[in-house]
Amino acid sequence: MAIDSDLAARLAMQYEPATYRRRIAGHDVIIHCHHYNARLQRTIEGARGIDGKGIIVGAAETVFADQLARALRPDDDEARRWAVAELLYRHLGFGRIDLSQVGAGIVTADSSHFVEGWLAGLGESADNVCSFTEGYVQGAVYAVTGAAVRVREVECMARGAERCRFEVDRGERPPVTPNRKEPPIPAPREPGAGWLRSPHVDEQAIIDAVVGMPMVGDDAGLIPAFSVYLANMPADFYNRICIGFVEAMRGLGRDKTAIRLLVSDAEHCGMNTFRGIMHSPEWDGLIAPMVRDRADALHAIIAISNALGWGDWHVTAHTPRSLALESRYGYEAVGYREFRGLAAAPQCAMLTGVAAGVMELVYGEGTVEERYGTFSAREERCVSCGEASCNFAVEQVE
Amino acid sequence: MRREKVPACVHPETYKYFLDRDAVIPTWQRLAARWGEPRHNTSFRTMEIAAPRFTLRSTVLGNPITVLRRRECTADDVAELHALLGYRE
């Protein structure tokens, strides 16, 4: 489908330099890679006693019904509405779906971020893996037609199929849950006080370069950048699935286990994602010439993660054995406040895990598995609890 | 020339191919003749050719070349690429 200027304008990314947030079609989007997305899915769907798949499908349905509604215009005819739904999926980096037969109850996909992520990071799967796409299509059908449907994947490329195939069931089901939340909290405090910088690393140049990259799906709807597959995921999706997972596990008395699992996924993500980035031509071209020692690498990694929209976080103290970070506007903390109000305990599992993971990557030795667990991170204060900023402390494990 | 495996990438068989200095320009010319001229990313000082079964990416110096395979990539595709690069197992 040709992308005309009208569609391009609807999906153009708006960047907010004060908080590093990226916004597409009315939603803050966070750029994560296939390692994190596949691991997060495996954790949530793999937990016994809860409907993890339902959490992912439901979150995708709710969030993309809302995002698509914001991308549509009142004078769009139905063909154009379906075209926008196909395009948004591809644009965000999730792959390529064909909605041309959705009226007959069939949807196919010949390219998928989640399939690529699963196969590259976790190996072949015994089950279909496109829960996210099921939810996306349910949200798309609702946004385009107003109908609440169930979508089920019946063939998956992760299991060797030539393409993923989905069936649309138009039977009775509850209405789509609206993406209701409180207005975002303002940025908690002025930036800059007490942050450490490297004299060699031009963080702004890194951020400008990353923000200037065309982080949109290619012909196949994928974003192969920094030697990983990236995707623009709405922050609301991550927050809905993580909050939903912890709350569901709380019902089994396992909420602390759930948080540990989310932190662990992020710790692996911190190592895998940035290991891929540090071996990429993009790193070699722009960043490697700035890096003289391991501390420089750490500062460069933090700058990249800020450009990806993770947390507006900054180094406040640093030795080879320890790290302290302050985040002004992490999407987890802000999202918790929007969805649930004030929290009783810190909520930033992703940033906590990544904080440990990047120290393991920068200062550790050996394979990812050998490095895992050699640093420990905790979130000491959190915006979700009403604090002015989120603060993380990382220490080497003796 | 030699190659090194690159960890944690989009495909388990991702390598950097280190070209001999004299081979850099003719190699890129062969790649461009087969799959089109490279696109340049001035911010990151990189260039790449997006072939149907691979992405070929390097810094503007052209060496090494990181080859990111797509999942559909076959042994025949790799053999063709290796012939163009002048790489032998």
Side-chain angles (χ1 to χ4, degrees):
Chain A
M1 181 187 64
I3 303 174
D4 57 44
S5 58
D6 169 50
L7 287 183
R10 296 187 202 187
L11 304 185
M13 189 269 286
Q14 314 289 324
Y15 175 65
E16 173 49 62
T19 55
Y20 306 112
R21 287 296 182 96
R22 298 161 169 265
R23 177 163 282 235
I24 295 175
H27 276 251
D28 285 354
V29 295
I30 311 299
I31 297 179
H32 272 296
C33 81
H34 65 281
H35 292 295
Y36 183 61
N37 289 332
R39 278 186 177 274
L40 200 54
Q41 178 185 356
R42 183 177 67 171
T43 292
I44 294 173
E45 294 192 349
R48 291 184 182 178
I50 66 168
D51 180 12
K53 181 181 174 69
I55 290 171
I56 290 176
V57 173
E61 174 186 81
T62 290
V63 171
F64 291 105
D66 188 82
Q67 192 177 25
L68 270 168
R70 294 166 187 259
L72 298 174
R73 300 289 179 266
D75 57 348
D76 288 338
D77 60 21
E78 187 166 320
R80 188 146 179 94
R81 294 160 80 85
W82 287 121
V84 172
E86 283 185 355
L87 180 61
L88 179 67
Y89 187 87
R90 198 177 84 198
H91 185 80
L92 296 177
F94 299 133
R96 186 166 52 198
I97 51 173
D98 179 356
L99 298 170
S100 63
Q101 300 179 76
V102 68
I106 301 296
V107 173
T108 59
D110 63 1
S111 175
S112 164
H113 172 85
F114 279 86
V115 168
E116 297 299 337
W118 200 285
L119 291 176
L122 305 174
E124 290 195 6
S125 172
D127 300 313
N128 300 337
V129 304
C130 298
S131 309
F132 172 86
T133 304
E134 292 176 345
Y136 183 93
V137 175
Q138 288 181 187
V141 171
Y142 184 73
V144 171
T145 71
V149 300
R150 284 194 176 85
V151 173
R152 187 169 63 94
E153 186 180 30
V154 294
E155 295 174 14
C156 184
M157 291 185 286
R159 300 176 63 199
E162 186 178 344
R163 61 191 60 209
C164 298
R165 186 166 174 275
F166 303 85
E167 292 179 353
V168 181
D169 175 3
R170 296 180 184 277
E172 285 291 310
R173 54 150 285 181
V176 173
T177 304
N179 192 39
R180 189 169 295 125
K181 57 182 184 174
E182 297 298 318
I185 59 173
R189 76 165 181 76
E190 291 301 308
W195 295 344
L196 301 183
R197 305 282 187 200
S198 163
H200 312 126
V201 176
D202 185 344
E203 294 185 22
Q204 196 58 51
I206 295 171
I207 290 168
D208 290 345
V210 175
V211 171
M213 288 176 77
M215 294 277 197
V216 298
D218 59 16
D219 287 345
L222 300 174
I223 306 174
F226 291 115
S227 296
V228 294
Y229 282 121
L230 300 175
N232 296 282
M233 185 67 83
D236 287 353
F237 174 80
Y238 284 129
N239 288 325
R240 280 188 168 276
I241 64 171
C242 291
I243 293 169
F245 175 57
V246 172
E247 290 177 347
M249 291 286 277
R250 183 173 298 136
L252 303 173
R254 298 184 200 151
D255 49 322
K256 289 181 180 173
T257 301
I259 293 168
R260 273 204 306 273
L261 290 169
L262 295 177
V263 170
S264 173
D265 284 340
E267 189 172 338
H268 276 100
C269 164
M271 278 190 285
N272 280 314
T273 304
F274 285 108
R275 189 172 64 155
I277 288 173
M278 291 173 74
H279 283 86
S280 69
E282 293 93 328
W283 179 278
D284 291 340
L286 176 67
I287 300 165
M290 303 177 186
V291 174
R292 299 187 187 179
D293 56 27
R294 296 188 188 205
D296 289 344
L298 180 82
H299 282 279
I301 286 171
I302 296 298
I304 293 172
S305 67
N306 280 331
L308 300 179
W310 289 8
D312 187 356
W313 63 343
H314 305 271
V315 176
T316 57
H318 176 218
T319 74
R321 298 169 62 84
S322 66
L323 173 68
L325 293 154
E326 178 182 34
S327 166
R328 294 174 60 241
Y329 210 61
Y331 71 85
E332 298 166 293
V334 174
Y336 192 92
R337 290 279 294 271
E338 291 172 346
F339 283 116
R340 293 291 187 269
L342 282 174
Q347 296 296 319
C348 301
M350 191 278 295
L351 288 178
T352 302
V354 167
V358 296
M359 285 295 279
E360 288 161 353
L361 177 66
V362 170
Y363 291 103
E365 301 290 344
T367 66
V368 164
E369 294 310 321
E370 288 167 341
R371 297 174 193 222
Y372 177 75
T374 56
F375 281 82
S376 171
R378 67 185 184 282
E379 186 175 12
E380 298 179 317
R381 286 180 291 278
C382 185
V383 167
S384 70
C385 302
E387 303 282 358
S389 60
C390 302
N391 289 258
F392 303 88
V394 188
E395 292 179 343
Q396 190 171 31
V397 175
E398 296 297 335
Chain B
M1 71 177 302
R2 63 186 173 86
R3 70 176 185 179
E4 288 181 4
K5 201 164 194 174
V6 182
C9 279
V10 297
H11 190 288
E13 296 292 312
T14 300
Y15 294 91
K16 283 186 178 181
Y17 292 81
F18 292 81
L19 308 176
D20 296 334
R21 184 182 300 179
D22 295 343
V24 173
I25 292 174
T27 299
W28 277 98
Q29 288 173 336
R30 287 196 298 275
L31 296 171
R34 175 66 179 89
W35 288 303
E37 291 295 322
R39 291 180 307 183
H40 287 255
N41 179 328
T42 54
S43 297
F44 280 99
R45 302 167 197 148
T46 59
M47 60 186 190
E48 73 170 45
I49 291 175
R53 301 295 175 88
F54 323 96
T55 298
L56 311 166
R57 192 175 290 160
S58 78
T59 68
V60 290
L61 300 176
N63 197 19
I65 302 175
T66 299
V67 177
L68 305 163
R69 301 183 192 183
R70 291 191 181 273
R71 188 162 41 80
E72 303 80 9
C73 183
T74 66
D76 288 345
D77 297 323
V78 174
E80 180 187 12
L81 174 70
H82 282 176
L84 290 168
L85 293 173
Y87 176 78
R88 291 183 183 171
E89 297 273 5

